[in-house]
Amino acid sequence: MNHRGILLVVSGFAGSGKGTLMKELMRRYDNYAFSVSATTRKPRPGEVHGREYFFMDKDHFERMIENDELLEHACYVGNYYGTPKFYVEEQLAAGKDVILEIETQGALMIKDQYPDSLLLFVMPPSVTELHRRLVERGTETPEVIASRMERGRQEVEEIEKYDFLVVNDNIDECVERLHGTIVSAHYATKRNMETIETIKKEFQEFFE
Amino acid sequence: MNHRGILLVVSGFAGSGKGTLMKELMRRYDNYAFSVSATTRKPRPGEVHGREYFFMDKDHFERMIENDELLEHACYVGNYYGTPKFYVEEQLAAGKDVILEIETQGALMIKDQYPDSLLLFVMPPSVTELHRRLVERGTETPEVIASRMERGRQEVEEIEKYDFLVVNDNIDECVERLHGTIVSAHYATKRNMETIETIKKEFQEFFE
């Protein structure tokens, strides 16, 4: 069967708990690698190059854009942030399933570039529960919460373009559900064309 | 999430061990139902109507063909054999994942009628191993074995039309792999359009 990793694109409403789920997935299983972003912002104390971010200057980053070396990129508050292809490619080749946590628009762009990527959408059990979680966090103003709910309303229109939909009603079960779905994705025929070619060749040789 | 069962179409070369796998899947998990075929042949001692087969006369069977009540059917040695839709539909509605063990040509016809069905192909680890298993059975003549190998060579051309490919290198692991793949298939967005509609409606109501 195939030994190359799968590019996992994970999205979900703010408050769906996808950050916690990803951390737990990484903690429990060793087949995952978290995509490390590149940025032009300065490292903060404790941040390590290649762990939190690949830190680089503006010239370097812009050269990467020109050379099509980023899966996607954006500019926030005067700094660039982006996903370098080299890291993703390196991890996939090493057989790691690479997790990219990204919003819906970027996710669909990545699906175009990597048709073999697996798009996973994490949902809260209900909209009421989503709102409750955002309020309970206690870290955001009512305005921010309202804008996140509005954002969710827009994102919901894109869910059917994802491959799988996982409801986060219980962290533990949801992690196992995600992991099971990712493991199974490795058995999809489209990811095993080499195995099929090998067996075709073996039949050929058998009859020679 | 969706509560309707999935129609599972399972194929594999003679000697791939799919019969044993299916029995083991049924024994370990209670979400499966095995499709029961209809036939015009007489029941043998010990065979029970509705368990081994739905036994019926020729008129009844031909009326089912005319009324499009069979998923597929064929005639062997003067008797009809076919898959009644009513049983499959009843089990799917009850939330059972219905197993249909069928050869490649029939499988692809079913995929056309039921686009939501899941096509699984069971493979031996290698062609040499496939041949060894057929020989070791000791129940078939060299001619029959040769024709089964030839059949395999033709079937291999259809594998890429299947959704998943599972290598039967170890019965125990293969059963778990199959089960995991089927469980995950329930989370595919295309099988959860109702859940997506519900969450859209909830967002709508939230902003009213």
Side-chain angles (χ1 to χ4, degrees), chain A residues 40-89:
Chain A
T40 55
R41 86 153 163 72
K42 296 274 166 288
R44 292 181 191 139
E47 284 185 340
V48 176
H49 178 76
R51 192 180 68 189
E52 278 78 13
Y53 285 100
F54 293 110
F55 296 101
M56 53 185 69
D57 59 30
K58 209 178 149 204
D59 277 2
H60 188 168
F61 199 102
E62 288 178 345
R63 225 167 31 244
M64 289 187 80
I65 299 176
E66 276 164 35
N67 298 340
D68 192 28
E69 292 172 13
L70 297 168
L71 274 177
E72 52 83 44
H73 69 278
C75 195
Y76 298 112
V77 217
N79 284 308
Y80 282 122
Y81 294 84
T83 306
K85 286 185 183 173
F86 72 85
Y87 181 77
V88 168
E89 288 289 356

Side-chain angles (χ1 to χ4, degrees), chain B residues 125-143:
Chain B
S126 69
V127 171
T128 316
E129 171 65 14
L130 177 69
H131 186 247
R132 198 190 59 77
R133 288 185 195 172
L134 287 173
V135 172
E136 281 196 353
R137 274 188 190 176
T139 52
E140 281 138 4
T141 62
E143 289 71 33

Side-chain angles (χ1 to χ4, degrees), chain A residues 66-168:
Chain A
E66 276 164 35
N67 298 340
D68 192 28
E69 292 172 13
L70 297 168
L71 274 177
E72 52 83 44
H73 69 278
C75 195
Y76 298 112
V77 217
N79 284 308
Y80 282 122
Y81 294 84
T83 306
K85 286 185 183 173
F86 72 85
Y87 181 77
V88 168
E89 288 289 356
E90 183 186 277
Q91 296 296 317
L92 292 176
K96 293 280 183 182
D97 296 322
V98 181
I99 301 171
L100 215 65
E101 216 187 297
I102 204 168
E103 37 60 68
T104 51
Q105 213 184 333
L108 298 173
M109 282 168 59
I110 284 173
K111 185 80 184 175
D112 282 340
Q113 289 181 62
Y114 287 74
D116 265 7
S117 60
L118 191 72
L119 268 60
L120 303 160
F121 199 92
V122 179
M123 285 231 302
S126 70
V127 170
T128 317
E129 171 63 15
L130 176 71
H131 187 246
R132 198 189 60 75
R133 288 184 194 173
L134 287 173
V135 171
E136 280 195 354
R137 273 188 189 177
T139 51
E140 281 138 5
T141 62
E143 289 72 31
V144 170
I145 292 174
S147 83
R148 300 211 155 186
M149 292 301 288
E150 179 53 41
R151 182 70 186 275
R153 180 174 30 180
Q154 290 159 15
E155 285 175 323
V156 83
E157 299 299 327
E158 311 293 347
I159 300 181
E160 59 193 71
K161 296 174 190 155
Y162 281 67
D163 298 303
F164 289 92
L165 177 63
V166 181
V167 175
N168 184 12

Side-chain angles (χ1 to χ4, degrees), chain B residues 37-49 52-61 76-81:
Chain B
S37 296
T39 185
T40 56
R41 86 153 164 72
K42 296 276 167 287
R44 293 183 189 136
E47 285 185 340
V48 177
H49 179 75
E52 278 77 13
Y53 286 99
F54 293 110
F55 296 99
M56 54 185 68
D57 59 28
K58 210 179 148 202
D59 277 2
H60 188 169
F61 199 101
Y76 299 111
V77 216
N79 283 310
Y80 281 122
Y81 294 82

Side-chain angles (χ1 to χ4, degrees), chain B residues 78-135:
Chain B
N79 283 310
Y80 281 122
Y81 294 82
T83 307
K85 286 185 183 174
F86 72 86
Y87 182 76
V88 169
E89 288 288 356
E90 183 186 277
Q91 296 296 317
L92 292 175
K96 294 280 183 183
D97 296 322
V98 181
I99 300 171
L100 217 63
E101 217 187 295
I102 204 167
E103 37 60 70
T104 52
Q105 212 185 334
L108 299 173
M109 280 169 60
I110 284 173
K111 184 79 181 176
D112 281 339
Q113 289 181 62
Y114 286 74
D116 265 8
S117 60
L118 191 72
L119 268 60
L120 304 161
F121 199 91
V122 179
M123 285 229 305
S126 69
V127 171
T128 316
E129 171 65 14
L130 177 69
H131 186 247
R132 198 190 59 77
R133 288 185 195 172
L134 287 173
V135 172

